[in-house]
Amino acid sequence: MASPVRPAAAPGRRLLLSLAAGLAAPFPARAHPAGAAGEVTLLTGGAEGGPSDLWLRAFAPFLERHLPRHTVSVVNRPDATRAQLLAGIAAAPVNGRSLGYAVTPDIFVEPGKGRAPGLLRRLRLLGAVAEDPLALVAPPETSLAGLQREREPQTLALPPEGSTAALAAPMLQEHLPLVPLHFPSAAAARQATLSGNVSAALVRLSDAIAALQEGRLTALGLALAERCALLPETPILSERGIPLVASARRGFVLPAGTPDALAIPLATALAKVVADPEYVAQSNAAGILPAFLSEADWTRLVRQQLASLKL
């Protein structure tokens, strides 16, 4: 008797299944160093050559240095949305072989919908390795006092909805007459500011550091609790009466059920990377602050951020 025909899975469901299956499948053969125990893959949804990909490929050699007898590679899944990628990681085998690249609080927000339901329970926040503070930047002739005096609302360029900057913008608007305008990327928001098409932009410091160092943009304030050694002359926003402290955290996640025997060595290696002087120098050059947060501390911070955002 013929077997019953099963209905085809929806496109999003098929992609999720393929992501989970891809994580479960053996990785292509690769020459390992002598004595290598295995391979760890850093998984991102960004396209090759994009900001996430470039940062991960610069990070991977440091993790390989501090994770004995392992090789570390980067795999891109540009066809997956952020939600699909994270759902695939959450459903992956708990073998400690695939680390999902994550930026918080961004990953826990679905643009236009709010908090991603149940995701925090399904992922293990292994460790954060970098703080990427927000910066309010503007053309060189602009001052914060001038913005505060404006009678008409001015345009504030922002990265896409769901980004750290977009989530923090309403708190900034409580103190400045700014109307948000979302761009497809932080680079596009930066370019609009460089071109003088908007009054200011709220972006991660790493997205603006080169233009700031070259004098093509000015930093009106950093969303940090204290001044930053990278830009010691730049005030923090609270010095200007704007109590905004907001940073993105870059790190790695595992499926929630990953046992400690696999997770702890990986987290230990991440902590060692953050203490590596070469990683510190590389991060600082990119406008990123190397800072390790353990699983417990990172999870606590994320819960606090989501609560402050009323998510």
Side-chain angles (χ1 to χ4, degrees), residues 39-70:
E39 181 168 347
V40 170
T41 296
L42 309 181
L43 187 66
T44 178
E48 289 190 24
S52 296
D53 175 71
L54 293 176
W55 184 84
L56 279 175
R57 292 184 188 280
F59 180 87
F62 291 105
L63 182 56
E64 191 169 271
R65 175 186 295 177
H66 295 287
L67 191 61
R69 301 178 60 234
H70 283 76

Short mmCIF file of all heavy atoms in Angstrom, two decimals, residues 39-70:
data_model
loop_
_atom_site.label_atom_id
_atom_site.label_comp_id
_atom_site.label_asym_id
_atom_site.label_seq_id
_atom_site.Cartn_x
_atom_site.Cartn_y
_atom_site.Cartn_z
N GLU A 39 37.43 20.17 15.97
CA GLU A 39 37.20 21.49 15.39
C GLU A 39 36.01 22.16 16.06
O GLU A 39 35.00 21.52 16.35
CB GLU A 39 36.92 21.36 13.89
CG GLU A 39 36.70 22.71 13.21
CD GLU A 39 36.71 22.61 11.70
OE1 GLU A 39 37.13 21.56 11.19
OE2 GLU A 39 36.30 23.58 11.05
N VAL A 40 36.15 23.43 16.31
CA VAL A 40 35.07 24.26 16.82
C VAL A 40 34.70 25.26 15.74
O VAL A 40 35.59 25.88 15.13
CB VAL A 40 35.49 25.00 18.11
CG1 VAL A 40 34.45 26.05 18.50
CG2 VAL A 40 35.69 24.01 19.25
N THR A 41 33.42 25.38 15.48
CA THR A 41 32.95 26.28 14.43
C THR A 41 32.22 27.46 15.06
O THR A 41 31.37 27.28 15.94
CB THR A 41 32.00 25.55 13.47
OG1 THR A 41 32.72 24.53 12.80
CG2 THR A 41 31.43 26.51 12.43
N LEU A 42 32.55 28.66 14.61
CA LEU A 42 31.86 29.88 15.01
C LEU A 42 30.83 30.19 13.92
O LEU A 42 31.20 30.42 12.77
CB LEU A 42 32.85 31.03 15.18
CG LEU A 42 34.07 30.74 16.06
CD1 LEU A 42 34.96 31.96 16.15
CD2 LEU A 42 33.64 30.27 17.45
N LEU A 43 29.58 30.19 14.30
CA LEU A 43 28.49 30.30 13.33
C LEU A 43 27.87 31.69 13.37
O LEU A 43 27.52 32.21 14.44
CB LEU A 43 27.42 29.26 13.64
CG LEU A 43 26.27 29.11 12.64
CD1 LEU A 43 26.79 28.59 11.31
CD2 LEU A 43 25.21 28.18 13.21
N THR A 44 27.73 32.32 12.20
CA THR A 44 27.12 33.63 12.11
C THR A 44 26.17 33.68 10.92
O THR A 44 26.33 32.94 9.95
CB THR A 44 28.18 34.74 11.96
OG1 THR A 44 27.53 36.02 11.83
CG2 THR A 44 29.04 34.53 10.72
N GLY A 45 25.20 34.57 11.01
CA GLY A 45 24.26 34.73 9.91
C GLY A 45 24.72 35.75 8.89
O GLY A 45 24.08 35.93 7.86
N GLY A 46 25.79 36.47 9.16
CA GLY A 46 26.25 37.49 8.24
C GLY A 46 26.91 36.91 7.01
O GLY A 46 27.39 35.78 7.00
N ALA A 47 26.90 37.70 5.96
CA ALA A 47 27.54 37.27 4.71
C ALA A 47 29.06 37.36 4.85
O ALA A 47 29.59 38.12 5.66
CB ALA A 47 27.06 38.15 3.56
N GLU A 48 29.75 36.57 4.05
CA GLU A 48 31.21 36.65 4.04
C GLU A 48 31.65 38.05 3.63
O GLU A 48 31.13 38.64 2.69
CB GLU A 48 31.79 35.62 3.07
CG GLU A 48 31.65 34.19 3.56
CD GLU A 48 32.44 33.21 2.71
OE1 GLU A 48 33.42 33.65 2.05
OE2 GLU A 48 32.08 32.02 2.69
N GLY A 49 32.61 38.59 4.35
CA GLY A 49 33.10 39.93 4.08
C GLY A 49 32.33 41.01 4.80
O GLY A 49 32.72 42.18 4.76
N GLY A 50 31.23 40.64 5.48
CA GLY A 50 30.46 41.61 6.24
C GLY A 50 31.10 41.88 7.59
O GLY A 50 32.07 41.21 8.00
N PRO A 51 30.58 42.85 8.36
CA PRO A 51 31.20 43.22 9.64
C PRO A 51 31.31 42.05 10.62
O PRO A 51 32.35 41.86 11.24
CB PRO A 51 30.26 44.31 10.18
CG PRO A 51 29.61 44.89 8.96
CD PRO A 51 29.46 43.75 8.00
N SER A 52 30.24 41.26 10.75
CA SER A 52 30.28 40.13 11.69
C SER A 52 31.31 39.10 11.26
O SER A 52 32.09 38.58 12.07
CB SER A 52 28.91 39.47 11.80
OG SER A 52 27.97 40.35 12.36
N ASP A 53 31.33 38.80 9.96
CA ASP A 53 32.26 37.82 9.43
C ASP A 53 33.71 38.26 9.65
O ASP A 53 34.55 37.48 10.11
CB ASP A 53 31.99 37.63 7.94
CG ASP A 53 33.00 36.70 7.27
OD1 ASP A 53 32.96 35.49 7.53
OD2 ASP A 53 33.84 37.21 6.49
N LEU A 54 34.01 39.51 9.36
CA LEU A 54 35.38 40.00 9.50
C LEU A 54 35.81 39.98 10.96
O LEU A 54 36.96 39.61 11.28
CB LEU A 54 35.48 41.42 8.94
CG LEU A 54 35.28 41.55 7.42
CD1 LEU A 54 35.31 43.01 6.99
CD2 LEU A 54 36.35 40.75 6.66
N TRP A 55 34.91 40.37 11.87
CA TRP A 55 35.26 40.36 13.29
C TRP A 55 35.51 38.93 13.75
O TRP A 55 36.49 38.66 14.47
CB TRP A 55 34.15 41.00 14.12
CG TRP A 55 34.53 41.09 15.57
CD1 TRP A 55 35.28 42.07 16.17
CD2 TRP A 55 34.21 40.14 16.60
NE1 TRP A 55 35.45 41.79 17.51
CE2 TRP A 55 34.80 40.62 17.80
CE3 TRP A 55 33.49 38.96 16.63
CZ2 TRP A 55 34.68 39.93 19.01
CZ3 TRP A 55 33.37 38.27 17.83
CH2 TRP A 55 33.96 38.76 19.00
N LEU A 56 34.66 37.99 13.35
CA LEU A 56 34.82 36.60 13.76
C LEU A 56 36.11 36.00 13.22
O LEU A 56 36.81 35.25 13.92
CB LEU A 56 33.63 35.76 13.29
CG LEU A 56 32.37 35.84 14.15
CD1 LEU A 56 31.24 35.07 13.48
CD2 LEU A 56 32.63 35.30 15.55
N ARG A 57 36.44 36.30 11.97
CA ARG A 57 37.66 35.74 11.39
C ARG A 57 38.91 36.32 12.05
O ARG A 57 39.96 35.67 12.07
CB ARG A 57 37.66 35.95 9.88
CG ARG A 57 36.58 35.12 9.19
CD ARG A 57 36.59 35.20 7.69
NE ARG A 57 35.41 34.54 7.14
CZ ARG A 57 35.28 33.22 6.99
NH1 ARG A 57 36.29 32.43 7.31
NH2 ARG A 57 34.17 32.69 6.52
N ALA A 58 38.80 37.53 12.56
CA ALA A 58 39.92 38.10 13.32
C ALA A 58 39.98 37.51 14.73
O ALA A 58 41.06 37.40 15.33
CB ALA A 58 39.78 39.61 13.39
N PHE A 59 38.82 37.10 15.26
CA PHE A 59 38.75 36.53 16.60
C PHE A 59 39.19 35.07 16.63
O PHE A 59 39.82 34.61 17.60
CB PHE A 59 37.33 36.65 17.15
CG PHE A 59 37.14 36.10 18.53
CD1 PHE A 59 37.38 36.90 19.64
CD2 PHE A 59 36.73 34.79 18.73
CE1 PHE A 59 37.23 36.38 20.92
CE2 PHE A 59 36.57 34.27 20.01
CZ PHE A 59 36.82 35.08 21.11
N ALA A 60 38.86 34.32 15.58
CA ALA A 60 39.07 32.87 15.57
C ALA A 60 40.50 32.45 15.91
O ALA A 60 40.70 31.49 16.68
CB ALA A 60 38.64 32.29 14.22
N PRO A 61 41.55 33.09 15.36
CA PRO A 61 42.91 32.65 15.70
C PRO A 61 43.23 32.77 17.19
O PRO A 61 44.00 31.97 17.72
CB PRO A 61 43.79 33.58 14.86
CG PRO A 61 42.92 34.03 13.74
CD PRO A 61 41.56 34.15 14.32
N PHE A 62 42.64 33.76 17.86
CA PHE A 62 42.88 33.90 19.30
C PHE A 62 42.23 32.76 20.07
O PHE A 62 42.81 32.23 21.02
CB PHE A 62 42.35 35.25 19.79
CG PHE A 62 43.14 36.43 19.29
CD1 PHE A 62 42.64 37.24 18.29
CD2 PHE A 62 44.39 36.71 19.82
CE1 PHE A 62 43.37 38.32 17.83
CE2 PHE A 62 45.13 37.79 19.37
CZ PHE A 62 44.61 38.60 18.36
N LEU A 63 41.00 32.39 19.67
CA LEU A 63 40.35 31.28 20.35
C LEU A 63 41.13 29.98 20.11
O LEU A 63 41.31 29.18 21.03
CB LEU A 63 38.91 31.13 19.86
CG LEU A 63 38.09 30.02 20.53
CD1 LEU A 63 38.06 30.19 22.04
CD2 LEU A 63 36.68 29.99 19.97
N GLU A 64 41.62 29.82 18.89
CA GLU A 64 42.41 28.63 18.59
C GLU A 64 43.70 28.61 19.43
O GLU A 64 44.13 27.55 19.90
CB GLU A 64 42.74 28.59 17.10
CG GLU A 64 43.33 27.28 16.63
CD GLU A 64 43.37 27.20 15.11
OE1 GLU A 64 42.40 26.74 14.50
OE2 GLU A 64 44.39 27.65 14.53
N ARG A 65 44.28 29.77 19.65
CA ARG A 65 45.49 29.87 20.47
C ARG A 65 45.25 29.41 21.89
O ARG A 65 46.12 28.78 22.51
CB ARG A 65 45.99 31.32 20.46
CG ARG A 65 47.18 31.59 21.37
CD ARG A 65 47.53 33.07 21.41
NE ARG A 65 47.97 33.57 20.12
CZ ARG A 65 48.27 34.85 19.88
NH1 ARG A 65 48.17 35.75 20.86
NH2 ARG A 65 48.66 35.24 18.69
N HIS A 66 44.07 29.72 22.42
CA HIS A 66 43.80 29.45 23.84
C HIS A 66 42.89 28.24 24.07
O HIS A 66 42.48 28.00 25.20
CB HIS A 66 43.20 30.70 24.48
CG HIS A 66 44.15 31.85 24.51
ND1 HIS A 66 45.23 31.91 25.36
CD2 HIS A 66 44.20 32.99 23.75
CE1 HIS A 66 45.91 33.03 25.15
NE2 HIS A 66 45.31 33.71 24.18
N LEU A 67 42.60 27.49 23.01
CA LEU A 67 41.81 26.27 23.13
C LEU A 67 42.69 25.12 22.65
O LEU A 67 42.73 24.79 21.47
CB LEU A 67 40.54 26.37 22.29
CG LEU A 67 39.47 25.29 22.49
CD1 LEU A 67 38.96 25.30 23.93
CD2 LEU A 67 38.32 25.51 21.52
N PRO A 68 43.43 24.52 23.55
CA PRO A 68 44.43 23.51 23.15
C PRO A 68 43.84 22.38 22.31
O PRO A 68 42.74 21.91 22.55
CB PRO A 68 44.95 22.98 24.50
CG PRO A 68 44.65 24.07 25.48
CD PRO A 68 43.38 24.70 25.00
N ARG A 69 44.62 21.99 21.30
CA ARG A 69 44.32 20.82 20.47
C ARG A 69 42.99 20.95 19.72
O ARG A 69 42.30 19.98 19.48
CB ARG A 69 44.34 19.55 21.32
CG ARG A 69 45.67 19.27 22.01
CD ARG A 69 45.65 18.04 22.88
NE ARG A 69 45.34 16.87 22.07
CZ ARG A 69 44.35 16.01 22.34
NH1 ARG A 69 43.56 16.22 23.37
NH2 ARG A 69 44.15 14.96 21.57
N HIS A 70 42.63 22.16 19.35
CA HIS A 70 41.43 22.39 18.54
C HIS A 70 41.77 23.35 17.41
O HIS A 70 42.64 24.22 17.54
CB HIS A 70 40.30 23.01 19.37
CG HIS A 70 39.59 22.03 20.25
ND1 HIS A 70 40.15 21.56 21.43
CD2 HIS A 70 38.38 21.42 20.12
CE1 HIS A 70 39.30 20.72 22.00
NE2 HIS A 70 38.22 20.62 21.23
#
